[in-house]
């Protein structure tokens, strides 16, 4: 073999292991939009465990009211599914602090303060965050709250001021919790750089770039490259990158991110679909799909232990679940 013909066939990447995060239910979609969207504690636990078995190293979790699927920040509801997930899998438990449009910042933080997870989400700026077009084809709603909730998102401001974000760092860092820094636009990377300068954020930063939310950066391949390059310039070796994209953009955009050396997030929080016009049957189905695609491309999937090491997490035994 000539020296220039190296036997390496895998795509070029800073490291060849990809962390799959699965965001199991979120607070955007509503039960009428998909029968697969989990909302009872039993279903959230079962789908989260199946997603971990399929290859998700990190589980991003929200809670919902078991009676009607409406989002809730109530730690007592989280307590109905977190212990099962914690006992059944090694996956990293990552709790939302984004909550839902109807929650105060305090309500959004309550579960993380109680359970002291290895990770929690941290949204890096205030923004419009709208999904008001989502229910336009629905004629009959399963629960009365859903239609208004979706329509009202047109006037929702997702609040994450510098004061709010500082507070999350101050409270959660005491517990050794680290962050999924959700960046919905290029400016959010600069906000994160501000927190890094002030030593509130500490490397290795986990940056979750979010594409395709109405109010944030669009799900265009140019933007994925722009986000990656900007993060490289601001953070150099100090960050681990991941991407998610909303709805039909999910699989193509995260595959592009993996090709650029990133990690990926799937799950019914971000998209209800598995293919064009086809609803996913479960979170695990999306995990299996991206896993299959990545493995075909020559990547390996990171185990929870590898994710913990890459992200410098405190370990499963150090949470209060
Ligand atoms: N639904 C995602 C686009 C959070 O939980 O902190 C945003 C999210 C927010 O995951
Ligand atoms: Zn979330």
């Amino acid at each position: 073999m000539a020296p220039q013909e190296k036997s390496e066939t895998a795509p070029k990447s800073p490291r060849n292991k990809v962390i799959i995060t699965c965001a199991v239910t979120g607070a955007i979609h509503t039960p009428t939009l998909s029968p697969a969207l989990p909302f009872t504690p039993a279903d959230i636990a079962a789908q989260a465990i199946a997603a971990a078995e399929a290859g998700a190293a990190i589980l991003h979790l929200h809670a919902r009211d078991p009676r009607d699927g409406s989002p809730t920040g109530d730690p007592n509801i989280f307590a109905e599914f977190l212990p099962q997930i914690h006992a059944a899998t090694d996956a990293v438990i990552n709790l939302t602090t984004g909550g839902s449009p109807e929650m105060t910042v305090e309500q959004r933080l309550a579960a993380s303060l109680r359970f002291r997870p290895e990770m929690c989400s941290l949204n890096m700026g205030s923004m419009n965050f709208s999904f008001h077009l989502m229910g336009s084809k629905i004629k009959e709603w399963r629960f009365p709250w859903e239609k208004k909730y979706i329509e009202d998102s047109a006037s929702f401001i997702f609040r994450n001021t510098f004061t709010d974000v500082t507070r999350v760092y101050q409270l959660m860092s005491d517990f050794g919790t680290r962050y999924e820094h959700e960046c919905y636009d290029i400016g959010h990377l600069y906000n994160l750089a501000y927190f890094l300068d002030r030593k509130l954020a500490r490397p290795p930063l986990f940056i979750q770039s979010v594409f395709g939310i109405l109010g944030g950066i669009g799900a265009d391949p140019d933007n994925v490259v722009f986000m990656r390059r900007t993060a490289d310039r601001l953070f150099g070796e100090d960050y681990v990158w991941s991407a998610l994209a909303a709805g039909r953009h999910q699989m193509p955009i995260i595959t592009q991110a993996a090709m650029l050396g990133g990690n990926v997030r799937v799950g019914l929080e971000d998209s209800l679909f598995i293919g064009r016009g086809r609803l996913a049957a479960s979170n695990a189905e999306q995990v299996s799909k991206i896993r299959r695609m990545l493995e075909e491309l020559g990547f390996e999937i990171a185990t929870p232990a590898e994710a913990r090491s890459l992200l410098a997490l405190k370990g499963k035994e150090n949470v209060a679940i």
Side-chain angles (χ1 to χ4, degrees):
M1 191 186 286
Q4 67 272 28
E5 291 173 45
K6 290 184 77 184
S7 62
E8 204 176 276
T9 50
K12 277 277 167 252
S13 154
R15 33 177 191 81
N16 218 30
K17 297 264 181 180
V18 179
I19 300 170
I20 301 177
T21 295
C22 182
V24 174
T25 186
I28 299 174
H29 296 124
T30 71
T32 301
L33 301 175
S34 170
L37 185 74
F39 64 82
T40 63
D43 201 9
I44 291 172
Q47 288 216 32
I49 292 164
E53 284 166 355
I58 302 178
L59 298 167
H60 169 113
L61 297 166
H62 291 238
R64 291 182 183 256
D65 187 322
R67 293 166 298 187
D68 64 3
S70 57
T72 174
D74 183 350
N76 294 326
I77 306 279
F78 279 88
E80 290 182 34
F81 58 81
L82 289 179
Q84 285 94 306
I85 299 171
H86 185 65
T89 83
D90 265 343
V92 174
I93 290 180
N94 168 6
L95 298 186
T96 179
T97 66
S100 85
E102 290 175 342
M103 293 174 205
T104 64
V105 174
E106 295 308 311
Q107 288 168 330
R108 286 161 44 182
L109 255 172
S112 292
L113 290 174
R114 169 146 154 205
F115 298 107
R116 306 176 176 191
E118 287 185 83
M119 298 195 88
C120 66
S121 69
L122 185 47
N123 294 273
M124 294 313 295
S126 300
M127 59 189 284
N128 292 332
F129 191 127
S130 188
F131 40 95
H132 65 280
L133 298 173
M134 219 162 47
S136 54
K137 293 203 184 106
I138 303 288
K139 301 263 181 306
E140 256 185 67
W141 294 89
R142 194 167 156 195
F143 297 109
W145 65 274
E146 297 178 68
K147 185 169 188 287
K148 183 172 180 331
Y149 180 79
I150 290 174
E151 285 172 359
D152 284 357
S153 70
S155 41
F156 172 48
I157 297 172
F158 188 24
R159 179 186 157 153
N160 300 287
T161 64
F162 284 95
T163 306
D164 297 333
V165 176
T166 300
R167 190 165 145 65
V168 178
Y169 279 123
Q170 286 170 341
L171 291 172
M172 296 310 301
S173 298
D174 285 350
F175 302 140
T177 299
R178 294 181 65 82
Y179 309 96
E180 178 192 19
H181 293 98
E182 305 219 21
C183 294
Y184 301 74
D185 222 322
I186 299 293
H188 293 180
L189 295 177
Y190 288 84
N191 295 351
L192 179 54
Y194 163 94
F195 290 111
L196 181 65
D197 277 352
R198 277 147 194 82
K199 303 207 168 7
L200 283 161
R202 283 181 303 112
L205 306 172
F206 186 44
I207 298 181
Q208 189 70 261
S209 295
V210 181
F211 297 92
I213 297 292
L214 189 57
I217 200 166
D220 303 321
D222 278 356
N223 289 339
V224 181
V225 173
F226 183 29
M227 187 76 87
R228 177 60 154 160
R229 282 209 186 134
T230 308
D232 276 347
R233 200 171 64 247
L234 292 173
F235 306 113
E237 297 291 305
D238 285 346
Y239 82 109
V240 175
W241 188 49
S242 181
L244 75 88
R248 68 192 158 84
H249 302 292
Q250 182 182 59
M251 295 290 169
I253 292 288
I254 65 175
T255 305
Q256 184 193 355
M259 295 301 293
L260 293 170
N263 301 281
V264 300
R265 176 169 130 174
V266 291
L268 300 186
E269 170 164 350
D270 303 337
S271 168
L272 295 172
F273 294 91
I274 194 69
R276 201 181 176 86
R278 278 188 302 131
L279 289 173
S282 66
N283 280 277
E285 192 183 14
Q286 288 183 347
V287 174
S288 299
K289 177 168 176 166
I290 191 64
R291 177 183 191 150
R292 204 165 53 239
M293 296 196 307
L294 292 173
E295 287 178 343
E296 288 289 337
L297 288 168
F299 293 100
E300 285 175 45
I301 302 309
T303 63
E306 288 164 341
R308 284 189 172 91
S309 153
L310 278 164
L311 302 175
L313 301 182
K314 64 180 176 175
K316 182 179 168 167
E317 59 289 357
N318 297 314
V319 298
I321 293 173

